Amino acid sequence: MLSPFLGVYGPPPVTLVSGQGCRVTDDRGRTYLDFTAGIAVTALGHGAPEVENAVRSALDSGLIHTSNLYRTLPAERLARALIEHSFPGGVFFCNSGGEANEAALKFARRYAGTVHGPGRSGFLAFRGSFHGRLFGTVAATDRPAYREPFLPVMPGVRFADFDLDAVGAVLDEGETAAVILEPVQGEGGVRPVDPAFLQGLRARCDATGTLLILDEVQCGLGRTGRLFAHQHAGVTPDILTLAKPLAGGLPMGAVIATPAVDATLKAGDHGTTFGGGPLVSTVALAVLERVADPAFLAEVARKGQRLADGLDRLVDGHAAVRGRRGLGLMQGLALSEGSLAAPVVQRAREAGLLVVSAGPDVVRLLPPLVVDDADIDEAVGILDTVLSSGGDPS
Ligand SMILES: *Cc1c(COP(=O)(O)O)cnc(C)c1O
C-alpha cells in the first residue's frame, strides 16, 4: 500500500496501538519494553495518571487554546514554576525543541545587537551538535547532510571542538552573539560535556559578553538525575531551552532567559499562535511538579547508575561494544569500529526492546524516568542476548 506520508522518514517497522507505563503494544498484539519514550518525551511513561488527570482538569475549563493575546492562569503558573526551579528571568513558550532554539537564537541576536551594537550576530556551536531542523537551528546543527540540500541556511555559525583553546580561536568578540550547546549531546551520540569545560565556557562567555545558550531539549527536566543537566556543572546559562518531556507527550517547548536578555526584547519581536496554551501548560505543570521532586530525581540517578552498570557489563562482555557514555537515564552504547547501530536496534525490537540509534554507531537508551529495576535488568538482558546472537552486527 502506498504510504500517505511524505517521504522524510524511513519506513516505520511496527504500528503501535496502545501503551501502559514502560510498555507499548503493536497491532499484532506484541508488547515491547519501550526504552525510547518517544525520543525522551514520555518521561512519566505511557498512560501516566498525572498526565491524564491534568488533561481532564484542563478540559473542565473548556479552554484548550486562547492565543497569546490573552493571559491564562495555567501558562502563568507554569512560567513561575519554571523560573523558581531554574534561575530568575522570563519564559517564552512554543511548541517544539526546534522552535525553542530558534527563539533562543533570535533573542540572543536581539540582546547582542542592543547591548554591543550591530555586527555581533554570529553563533558558536559544537562538533556533534543537534539543535533542530529549522533554517536557524539546522545551521547550528553539525550534520552537513541535514543542511546541504536546503542551502542557504542561516549564515554566521562556526563550529568548535570541546576544547577551550579551540573556542578561544573561533569565539570572536566582534562577531559572536552567543554560544549554543547541549550539556549532554543526544543525537550526536550521547556525549556528556565535561563539567570543567562548561565552567570554562561560562567564564569565557562572561569575559567576552557572549551569551551562553544551553539546549536541554533532550537532557533537561530530570533525565540526567538533576532537574537540569547544567546543574551537574554548577553553571547557569543566559538562555535555557526545553521541550521534549515538558508536557508529558503533548507538543511544547520553552525558553527561559535572564532579565538582562529580557530587557532587550520588545513586544512584537517574536511570537507564536499556539505556544503556552492552557491545556499543554496544565499538563506541563503536572509533569514539572513530578520530575522536580528531589526524591524522584534521586531515583532517576540511582536507576541511571543501575542501567550504566548493566551496560558496562555489556562493554566488557562483547567485542562489538566499544564503550558506554551517558548521564542518568540517558545512556548510549558505542559500538566498535565497523559495527552499525541500526541492525542492533532492529534485533532488539524483534526481541521485544525498543531503543534508538544516535548517529551511525551508537545505540541510545532513553527509558521513561519511571522505569523500574526489573525493566532495566530486562532491557540489559535483551541487549546481551542480541549482541551475543548477532556476531558482527554490521
Ligand atoms: C530533539 C531535539 C531538538 C529538536 O526538537 P524538535 O521538537 O524535534 O524540534 C533540539 N535540540 C535537541 C538537543 C534535541 O534533542
Side-chain angles (χ1 to χ4, degrees):
M1 197 169 47
L2 201 62
S3 166
F5 300 110
L6 294 176
V8 298
Y9 300 114
V14 293
T15 300
L16 300 179
V17 295
S18 64
Q20 190 56 50
C22 296
R23 315 249 162 191
V24 289
T25 302
D26 73 11
D27 57 350
R28 293 180 303 176
R30 195 118 204 243
T31 293
Y32 304 84
L33 188 51
D34 180 9
F35 269 47
T36 62
I39 317 184
V41 169
T42 48
L44 301 184
H46 301 283
E50 298 90 339
V51 172
E52 294 191 349
N53 291 337
V55 169
R56 281 193 198 96
S57 80
L59 292 178
D60 284 344
S61 75
L63 291 181
I64 293 174
H65 169 81
T66 59
S67 87
N68 287 291
L69 293 172
Y70 312 104
R71 173 174 173 238
T72 68
L73 298 179
E76 185 157 333
R77 280 190 205 112
L78 175 63
R80 288 190 191 286
L82 283 169
I83 290 165
E84 226 165 81
H85 285 295
S86 54
F87 50 87
V91 182
F92 173 82
F93 290 121
C94 52
N95 312 288
S96 68
E99 280 182 42
N101 287 327
E102 195 81 10
L105 297 176
K106 284 183 72 177
F107 298 161
R109 275 205 177 156
R110 181 50 129 172
Y111 171 88
T114 306
V115 170
H116 302 300
R120 199 148 163 183
S121 60
F123 297 102
L124 180 62
F126 286 88
R127 292 283 159 227
S129 61
F130 182 87
H131 298 298
R133 309 281 201 147
L134 311 181
F135 279 123
T137 55
V138 83
T141 290
D142 185 30
R143 291 265 192 114
Y146 288 178
R147 226 174 22 237
E148 271 156 15
F150 308 105
L151 295 173
V153 297
M154 177 187 73
V157 181
R158 297 178 185 211
F159 291 93
D161 290 315
F162 287 95
D163 172 294
L164 287 174
D165 292 333
V167 169
V170 284
L171 197 160
D172 183 331
E173 274 180 66
E175 258 178 32
T176 311
V179 172
I180 180 167
L181 77 161
E182 304 148 81
V184 184
Q185 284 190 344
E187 308 300 310
V190 193
R191 293 171 198 277
V193 170
D194 177 7
F197 175 81
L198 209 48
Q199 290 156 7
L201 194 60
R202 175 72 272 181
R204 198 66 61 100
C205 285
D206 288 340
T208 56
T210 310
L211 294 180
L212 179 63
I213 303 172
L214 293 181
D215 174 353
E216 296 214 18
V217 166
Q218 186 164 158
C219 63
L221 294 167
R223 172 115 337 240
T224 66
R226 304 289 295 265
L227 185 57
F228 300 114
H230 63 263
Q231 292 169 334
H232 292 277
V235 301
T236 306
D238 299 291
I239 303 181
L240 174 66
T241 60
L242 304 170
K244 286 186 165 97
L246 180 54
L250 296 177
M252 188 177 212
V255 183
I256 307 173
T258 59
V261 174
D262 189 27
T264 66
L265 298 174
K266 295 182 177 50
D269 273 355
H270 196 53
T272 164
T273 300
F274 288 112
L279 172 66
V280 289
S281 296
T282 301
V283 177
L285 185 59
V287 171
L288 181 63
E289 280 172 353
R290 182 84 195 279
V291 300
D293 176 355
F296 183 91
L297 291 167
E299 266 296 280
V300 172
R302 185 192 63 76
K303 293 182 292 190
Q305 192 57 53
R306 188 181 186 95
L307 178 59
D309 291 344
L311 297 176
D312 283 339
R313 288 195 294 277
L314 300 183
V315 177
D316 293 339
H318 297 277
V321 185
R322 179 158 45 94
R324 175 199 63 84
R325 292 191 293 259
L327 207 53
L329 287 171
M330 182 173 181
Q331 295 286 339
L333 272 184
L335 301 181
S336 306
E337 187 89 25
S339 295
L340 293 173
V344 177
V345 169
Q346 183 192 328
R347 289 206 309 273
R349 186 177 63 246
E350 288 162 1
L353 173 69
L354 302 184
V355 290
V356 60
S357 60
D361 59 0
V362 175
V363 177
R364 181 170 33 155
L365 295 96
L366 299 163
L369 303 183
V370 294
V371 69
D372 67 23
D373 288 1
D375 295 332
I376 289 170
D377 298 347
E378 184 181 340
V380 171
I382 290 173
L383 284 175
D384 193 14
T385 307
V386 158
L387 291 163
S388 306
S389 66
D392 178 3
S394 64

